[in-house]
Amino acid sequence: GENSELDQGLTSPTSSKPGQFLMEILGQLSVEINNPDQGEAREELSAECEGPGAEDGIEIGFNAKYATDALATFAGETIIFSLADPGSPSLITDPSDATRQVVLMPMRV
């Protein structure tokens, strides 16, 4: 939502410790923000998972600031995260804009 706990966790002031943006994908997308200054928030979102290993799920973490900055550049309602494994870069694309591509490096969770 526009004023959800997740949004508030993403927009906190800069901290000496990076916040975590954790995604768990298994049938649905669970997004968790852990911010040293404001605590944590969790939201469940609808997601479609396809490809090898989709039925096993994946858990991957990102620096919350980098993830927020990357996701803010997308205007569409749907984005695609292309994930290989928790240690590999993720490609984020917008199906409504073939020219928009962002690579996001994961962080160790």
Side-chain angles (χ1 to χ4, degrees), residues 5-75:
E5 289 179 24
L6 189 62
D7 293 333
Q8 293 169 14
L10 285 171
T11 58
S12 71
T14 306
S15 170
S16 59
K17 290 181 163 182
Q20 282 187 346
F21 180 91
L22 179 66
M23 293 175 33
E24 297 175 46
I25 305 168
L26 183 57
Q28 68 179 10
L29 173 65
S30 298
V31 179
E32 182 177 312
I33 300 297
N34 182 350
N35 184 300
D37 294 332
Q38 293 185 327
E40 63 181 58
R42 183 177 183 92
E43 281 196 27
E44 306 289 328
L45 306 167
S46 63
E48 293 180 26
C49 303
E50 13 180 276
E55 65 279 349
D56 297 330
I58 188 170
E59 179 177 297
I60 188 168
F62 301 101
N63 176 293
K65 171 96 172 91
Y66 297 153
T68 303
D69 289 349
L71 294 174
T73 67
F74 289 91

